[in-house]
Amino acid sequence: QKEVEQNSGPLSVPEGAIASLNCTYSDRGSQSFFWYRQYSGKSPELIMSIYSNGDKEDGRFTAQLNKASQYVSLLIRDSQPSDSATYLCAVPMNSGNTPLVFGKGTRLSVIA
Amino acid sequence: DVKVTQSSRYLVKRTGEKVFLECVQDMDHENMFWYRQDPGLGLRLIYFSYDVKMKEKGDIPEGYSVSREKKERFSLILESASTNQTSMYLCASGGGTTNEKLFFGSGTQLSVL
């Protein structure tokens, strides 16, 4: 059974700062990793995916993957109050066509 | 605009009732999923389906069953509702080989009294 671990938070950062969200996973063979954002009372939505070691940037968001350490992170630059949400890390259960296993999520609060 | 529609946003049922949660997607996805989300426990997979009339158990299938008679519709059935099934139920559909792009419905908050 794959496990995905996240600090539940809340993580509070001031507006304009960098928010750093972390995730560790149990299966060294995992190949793909995803970050979903869930606003309070809403459903999760995909914001980033990463498959290779290193960094992947998309606007203010950067996903970082270190397979050797089984660690994936999400950086949010110039954090805005609208970034306040719960961020869920997810990995596929197995290889191929397979459901996602989600972490419990980290609640981020950006203070204006 | 892609859509996953869940039939009810809020539902209140009594212990022992049979409950049907309906989910319809308009994206022609083969893959559909039912998760429940509870504070402190995160998203947990109940059942999933990769094709019509096909179903697979997830991590917590006990007390639930599913039906997929048509590609666009995936129903979750609580055979005899219990209070520990009070939860937010989220349906999702996904394309691609790893289902990373999951589209979620707006959820059904079920209360079992």
Side-chain angles (χ1 to χ4, degrees):
Chain A
Q1 175 73 14
K2 286 191 178 180
E3 292 183 359
V4 179
E5 299 289 338
Q6 296 180 257
N7 189 324
S8 62
L11 173 67
S12 294
V13 300
E15 184 175 359
I18 296 175
S20 178
L21 304 160
N22 304 316
C23 171
T24 59
Y25 56 95
S26 61
D27 186 352
R28 186 171 290 278
S30 295
Q31 296 294 318
S32 50
F33 308 86
F34 310 99
W35 284 99
Y36 281 73
R37 177 178 62 199
Q38 186 175 24
Y39 291 115
S40 181
K42 301 294 186 182
S43 300
E45 58 177 337
L46 180 69
I47 56 171
M48 287 287 285
S49 57
I50 187 166
Y51 305 93
S52 304
N53 275 331
D55 295 0
K56 179 182 177 182
E57 190 174 315
D58 184 1
R60 295 186 296 111
F61 296 92
T62 299
Q64 298 177 318
L65 175 59
N66 183 327
K67 289 185 179 180
S69 299
Q70 295 176 235
Y71 180 96
V72 58
S73 63
L74 179 69
L75 302 179
I76 306 174
R77 289 183 302 281
D78 188 24
S79 295
Q80 301 297 311
S82 58
D83 295 324
S84 297
T86 297
Y87 290 80
L88 306 169
C89 177
V91 300
M93 192 176 287
N94 295 298
S95 58
N97 196 11
T98 182
L100 292 180
V101 177
F102 287 86
K104 294 177 182 178
T106 298
R107 189 156 59 92
L108 172 67
S109 179
V110 181
I111 310 301
Chain B
D1 202 13
V2 298
K3 246 187 173 174
V4 179
T5 302
Q6 293 185 231
S7 51
S8 304
R9 185 72 178 95
Y10 299 97
L11 210 52
V12 180
K13 296 293 181 180
R14 297 210 175 272
T15 303
E17 280 192 77
K18 191 168 186 176
V19 182
F20 294 85
L21 303 182
E22 306 287 347
C23 176
V24 178
Q25 52 101 358
D26 65 358
M27 293 165 283
D28 201 35
H29 286 153
E30 278 85 26
N31 308 327
M32 297 188 74
F33 309 86
W34 276 106
Y35 289 89
R36 64 178 280 180
Q37 188 171 34
D38 301 285
L41 296 177
L43 277 164
R44 293 181 291 166
L45 182 65
I46 305 171
Y47 266 98
F48 58 101
S49 169
Y50 290 152
D51 202 351
V52 175
K53 297 191 185 296
M54 174 272 178
K55 60 185 178 183
E56 293 282 349
K57 293 180 180 179
D59 298 321
I60 51 165
E62 296 79 19
Y64 303 95
S65 61
V66 290
S67 171
R68 192 155 182 212
E69 296 296 320
K70 294 184 178 182
K71 187 177 185 179
E72 67 271 19
R73 186 181 296 270
F74 192 36
S75 302
L76 180 69
I77 304 156
L78 287 66
E79 298 291 344
S80 177
S82 63
T83 55
N84 62 14
Q85 293 179 308
T86 291
S87 185
M88 171 64 78
Y89 289 88
L90 288 163
C91 174
S93 72
T97 56
T98 54
N99 293 307
E100 68 273 15
K101 185 68 173 178
L102 288 185
F103 296 89
F104 284 86
S106 55
T108 295
Q109 178 62 54
L110 173 67
S111 296
V112 182
L113 306 178

